[in-house]
């Protein structure tokens, strides 16, 4: 799980970015990508005006993968207009069911 | 790193063409079913039933399988489709072949039209097989998985079924096959149903069902057993029935595919029990229920074999029921469910994919009408019940009710499909 350094002002941007990304919903599972555990890290750099998101998908063949990645970029660029967003996709570690948060599990179970 | 399967713009058009052509065929089946309702009382080998069966097996089921495979095989194999021109060529050849074959069966004119139609259909099948094999070759991880093996083997069975079908068409004119035409028809039907439909559906659904249910447990070793038992059983059936016809050994041979299906059923139950998503939506409910219809069909098998071995006339009614349960029961319900699980994604990605995250968007499940899906399910249940009554009693009234219910099911399906395909961009959850 991600950690926050309250002495670093960039932390507040990162925290807001985490919350913003809860609006990106997996269209099949109807659960947001944060609670699905797809986002690994978010790093903000206020000097370079840069936001770097490292995330994964449930599988490389995920049919909505491209839309989710685009959604992350769109969502952050709309909020942090003077920041450049870089969404990096990684397969390591691979996504698994253990990535899903307790809240995500509750939402899935309905 | 950073590699994902992107949706090619041409993919949407290819898949849409296949789904629409298939839905029109389904409506036509409903109409033809009505005009041929009296013929269902007789033997299964007669012109109108041959026309309807081929319209169902090729136009309704195989056509939608081709379309769905172009969409789903890249998802399952985690690579892009090998090309987009060959699927179009295959589609044109397949559709024109289908029209020629079905029309010539209906009027029973085993001449050039029927032969040309059969050859065009085979060309379409060959095109599809090449696309699937070439797509598999693009895999970066060369190690084949069981899903890919099932899909590839099912394509080989499809071609074998098609080749035998062409031979049977020419045999109607030139009578060159060494044995009874019905003997080969039996082999042709089982190669198609078991080797093509069942193997492909298991190969694809064994990957998609746990994906849609978010299942923790996927016992892939069970699928190895399914693969070998099903193919072994089919090969044994084809060789033994060719040499000896239906005999006492057929009981034992039938156990192999039945065991394969029971193991697959266990696999599905394990996926269902270990699911993280509690509620099944209607399309998934229809999908799961469809397998019960297949189980019912398999349970009839020993009775059919017994009727053939004992030379009892009830075998004809049971064979019709078996064919109807597989083709119009299991496969139809599977399509009626899965179409609304897969197609809305394709449309959603095209319309909303690039703008996700900018504004609230409807979900893919908002693209189809729940009400139409419920009516479709009720009409289909009516069809199944009256169809079973019709097949067992041979009466005309249940046949007419069945045709009415089938037509209503087909119209609901076509309407809902059109609703998905003509969806216009809206914002916010519907």
């Amino acid at each position: 799980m991600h950690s926050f350094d309250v002495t670093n002002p960039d932390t507040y941007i990162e925290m807001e970015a985490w919350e913003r990304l809860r609006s990106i919903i997996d269209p099949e599972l109807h659960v947001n990508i944060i609670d699905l555990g797809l986002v690994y890290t978010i790093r903000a750099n206020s000097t370079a005006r840069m936001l770097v998101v490292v995330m994964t998908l449930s599988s490389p063949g995920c049919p909505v993968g491209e839309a989710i990645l685009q959604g992350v970029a769109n969502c952050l660029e709309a909020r942090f207009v003077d920041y450049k967003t870089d969404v990096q996709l990684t397969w390591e570690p691979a996504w698994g069911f253990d990535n899903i948060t307790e809240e995500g599990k509750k939402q899935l179970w309905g | 790193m950073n590699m994902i399967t992107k949706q090619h713009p041409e993919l949407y058009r290819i898949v849409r063409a296949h789904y629409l052509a298939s839905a029109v065929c389904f409506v036509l089946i409903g109409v033809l079913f009505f005009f041929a309702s009296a013929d269902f009382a007789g033997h299964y080998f007669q012109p109108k039933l041959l026309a309807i069966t081929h319209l169902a097996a090729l136009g309704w089921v195989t056509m939608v399988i081709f379309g769905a495979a172009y969409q789903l095989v890249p998802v399952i194999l985690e690579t892009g489709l090998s090309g987009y021109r060959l699927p179009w060529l295959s589609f044109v050849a397949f559709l024109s072949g289908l029209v020629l074959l079905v029309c010539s069966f209906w009027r029973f004119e085993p001449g050039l039209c029927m032969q040309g139609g059969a050859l065009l259909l085979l060309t379409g099948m060959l095109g599809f097989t090449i696309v699937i094999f070439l797509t598999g070759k693009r895999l970066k991880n060369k190690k084949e998985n069981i899903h890919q093996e099932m899909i590839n083997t099912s394509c080989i069975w499809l071609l074998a079924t098609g080749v035998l079908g062409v031979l049977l068409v020419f045999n109607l004119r030139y009578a060159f096959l060494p044995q009874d035409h019905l003997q080969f028809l039996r082999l042709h039907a089982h190669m198609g149903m078991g080797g093509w439909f069942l193997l492909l559906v298991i190969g694809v659904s064994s990957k998609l069902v746990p994906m849609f249910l978010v299942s923790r447990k996927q016992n892939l070793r069970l699928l190895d057993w399914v693969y070998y038992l099903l193919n072994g059983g089919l090969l044994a059936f084809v060789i033994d029935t060719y040499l000896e016809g239906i005999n006492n050994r057929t009981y034992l041979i039938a156990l192999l595919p039945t065991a394969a299906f029971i193991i697959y059923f266990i696999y599905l139950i394990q996926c269902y029990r270990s699911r993280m998503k509690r509620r099944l939506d209607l399309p998934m409910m229809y999908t799961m229920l469809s397998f019960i219809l297949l189980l019912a069909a398999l349970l009839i098998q020993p009775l059919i074999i017994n009727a053939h071995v004992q030379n009892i006339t009830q075998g004809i009614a049971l064979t019709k029921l078996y064919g109807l349960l597989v083709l119009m029961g299991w496969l139809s319900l599977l399509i009626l469910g899965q179409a609304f699980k897969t197609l809305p994604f394709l449309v959603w990605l095209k319309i909303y994919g690039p703008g996700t995250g900018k504004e609230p968007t409807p979900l893919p499940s908002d693209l189809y009408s729940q009400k139409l899906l419920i009516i479709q399910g009720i009409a289909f249940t009516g069809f199944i019940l009256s169809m079973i009554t019709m097949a067992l009693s041979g009466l005309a009234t249940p046949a007419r009710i069945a045709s009415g219910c089938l037509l209503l099911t087909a119209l609901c399906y076509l309407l809902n499909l059109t609703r998905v395909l003509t969806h216009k961009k809206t914002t916010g959850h519907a």
Side-chain angles (χ1 to χ4, degrees):
Chain A
M1 196 57 203
H2 50 278
S3 58
F4 300 111
D5 175 6
V6 288
T7 61
N8 181 358
D10 289 342
T11 287
Y12 298 97
I13 294 174
E14 290 168 7
M15 283 172 73
E16 192 181 343
W18 280 102
E19 284 314 304
R20 283 272 157 184
L21 291 185
R22 286 186 194 278
S23 65
I24 308 294
I25 309 286
D26 181 298
E28 166 55 24
L29 301 177
H30 304 185
V31 177
N32 69 71
I33 59 167
I34 298 296
D35 283 319
L36 280 176
L38 294 177
V39 180
Y40 289 161
T41 58
I42 300 176
R43 288 284 169 259
N45 186 331
S46 48
T47 318
R49 315 303 279 175
M50 190 77 187
L51 265 171
V52 180
V53 180
V54 179
M55 63 177 292
T56 192
L57 295 167
S58 54
S59 79
C62 175
V64 289
E66 197 186 353
I68 290 178
L69 297 178
Q70 185 65 55
V72 170
N74 286 342
C75 172
L76 296 179
E77 279 163 7
R79 171 62 189 89
F80 305 101
V81 281
D82 49 350
Y83 276 67
K84 202 177 167 211
T85 304
D86 179 18
V87 183
Q88 297 178 357
L89 181 64
T90 182
W91 302 113
E92 288 166 10
W95 181 87
F97 297 121
D98 294 336
N99 287 29
I100 304 174
T101 65
E102 285 308 311
E103 179 55 34
K105 284 173 190 162
K106 266 189 220 166
Q107 285 175 36
L108 276 172
W109 200 239
Chain B
M1 189 92 169
N2 284 349
M3 290 297 291
I4 54 165
T5 311
K6 294 187 176 183
Q7 183 174 305
H8 194 282
E10 196 58 30
L11 182 69
Y12 173 77
R13 285 188 282 272
I14 291 170
V15 176
R16 180 181 60 184
H18 282 84
Y19 270 83
L20 276 177
S22 160
V24 170
C25 287
F26 192 32
V27 174
L28 275 174
I29 293 166
V31 175
L32 295 182
F33 212 95
F34 178 78
F35 288 110
S37 45
D39 297 72
F40 278 95
H43 197 279
Y44 52 83
F45 190 73
Q46 51 176 302
K48 287 178 181 168
L49 296 198
L50 279 176
I52 293 175
T53 307
H54 283 84
L55 189 59
L58 299 169
W60 163 228
V61 182
T62 300
M63 184 72 87
V64 84
I65 287 180
F66 280 4
Y70 292 140
Q71 182 188 358
L72 298 174
V73 167
V75 175
I76 292 165
L77 303 186
E78 300 177 351
T79 183
L81 206 61
S82 62
Y84 296 90
R85 198 175 295 165
L86 198 49
W88 275 122
L89 292 173
S90 159
F91 174 75
V92 172
F94 195 83
L95 190 61
S96 37
L98 180 74
V99 172
L100 289 175
L101 189 83
V102 170
C103 289
S104 44
F105 266 145
W106 187 265
R107 290 179 301 185
F108 209 72
E109 293 169 352
L112 269 180
C113 258
M114 196 185 278
Q115 292 157 5
L119 286 169
L120 278 168
L121 280 162
L122 186 61
T123 310
M125 292 171 189
L126 188 64
F128 170 78
T129 305
I130 292 171
V131 173
I132 298 301
F133 273 77
L134 289 180
T135 302
K137 285 238 178 245
R138 291 169 60 128
L139 273 178
K140 286 163 195 75
N141 176 8
K142 292 288 177 194
K143 197 182 167 198
E144 282 196 4
N145 57 48
I146 188 66
H147 309 287
Q148 191 189 355
E149 278 184 36
M150 284 184 177
I151 293 166
N152 286 347
T153 313
S154 73
C155 287
I156 294 169
W157 279 113
L158 170 71
L159 284 182
T161 311
V163 169
L164 186 52
V166 169
L167 292 177
L168 282 168
V169 161
F170 279 87
N171 192 54
L172 285 175
R173 184 80 176 202
Y174 305 107
F176 60 91
L177 288 174
Q179 291 180 34
D180 178 19
H181 192 89
L182 285 184
Q183 183 93 320
F184 285 102
L185 191 68
R186 217 169 276 139
L187 298 181
H188 172 65
H190 280 87
M191 284 156 76
M193 285 197 285
W196 164 234
F197 292 137
L198 186 56
L199 199 57
L200 185 89
V201 165
I202 291 178
V204 173
S205 64
S206 58
K207 180 87 175 183
L208 292 186
V209 168
M211 202 166 98
F212 287 136
L213 296 178
V214 199
S215 308
R216 281 177 181 275
K217 191 170 181 181
Q218 291 174 54
N219 192 347
L220 295 180
R221 288 176 68 184
L222 288 182
L223 295 181
D224 288 334
W225 279 99
V226 171
Y227 179 82
Y228 290 111
L229 282 170
L230 189 55
N231 283 300
L234 271 170
L235 275 175
F237 176 79
V238 169
I239 295 166
D240 189 63
T241 309
Y242 174 73
L243 295 173
E244 306 275 344
I246 302 282
N247 58 72
N248 282 324
R249 263 195 313 274
T250 317
Y251 287 108
L252 289 174
I253 293 171
L255 283 177
L256 298 177
T258 308
F261 179 70
I262 290 170
I263 293 172
Y264 184 59
F265 210 64
I266 294 169
Y267 172 86
L268 286 178
I269 290 169
Q270 285 180 350
C271 289
Y272 180 79
R273 284 193 172 160
S274 66
R275 76 197 189 281
M276 295 179 78
K277 195 175 178 184
R278 185 173 65 170
R279 278 190 199 156
L280 287 191
D281 50 25
L282 264 182
M284 274 316 280
M285 211 181 283
Y286 290 164
T287 304
M288 298 304 267
L289 287 174
S290 75
F291 286 100
I292 294 172
L293 291 173
L294 177 60
L295 187 64
L298 290 176
L299 290 174
I300 296 172
Q301 266 185 351
L303 300 175
I304 298 174
I305 299 167
N306 180 56
H308 276 286
V309 172
Q310 308 284 334
N311 224 353
I312 304 169
T313 49
Q314 277 168 333
I316 293 169
L318 289 169
T319 305
K320 276 187 291 184
L321 180 61
Y322 173 71
L324 283 166
L325 276 173
V326 171
L327 207 54
M328 298 311 295
W330 165 54
L331 287 166
S332 294
L333 189 55
L334 189 69
I335 297 168
L336 292 172
Q338 278 302 297
F340 298 104
K341 209 66 201 151
T342 53
L343 193 63
F345 270 92
L346 202 69
V347 178
W348 185 89
L349 278 174
K350 181 176 171 278
I351 298 176
Y352 299 106
T356 332
K358 284 182 184 165
E359 55 200 3
T361 55
L363 294 167
S365 54
D366 295 324
L367 268 56
Y368 59 83
S369 159
Q370 286 284 338
K371 273 185 194 166
L372 271 175
L373 210 57
I374 292 169
I375 299 170
Q376 176 195 283
I378 295 167
F380 188 78
T381 309
F383 165 69
I384 290 290
L385 293 175
S386 44
M387 182 193 78
I388 293 171
T389 317
M390 170 197 85
L392 294 177
S393 68
L395 295 171
T397 311
R400 283 194 202 100
I401 297 170
S403 68
C405 290
L406 184 65
L407 192 57
L408 180 61
T409 310
L411 288 173
C412 287
Y413 174 76
L414 181 62
L415 207 62
N416 223 354
L417 204 73
T418 313
R419 186 189 161 108
V420 173
L421 290 170
T422 55
H423 177 82
K424 296 277 179 289
K425 191 173 181 176
T426 55
T427 54
H429 293 277

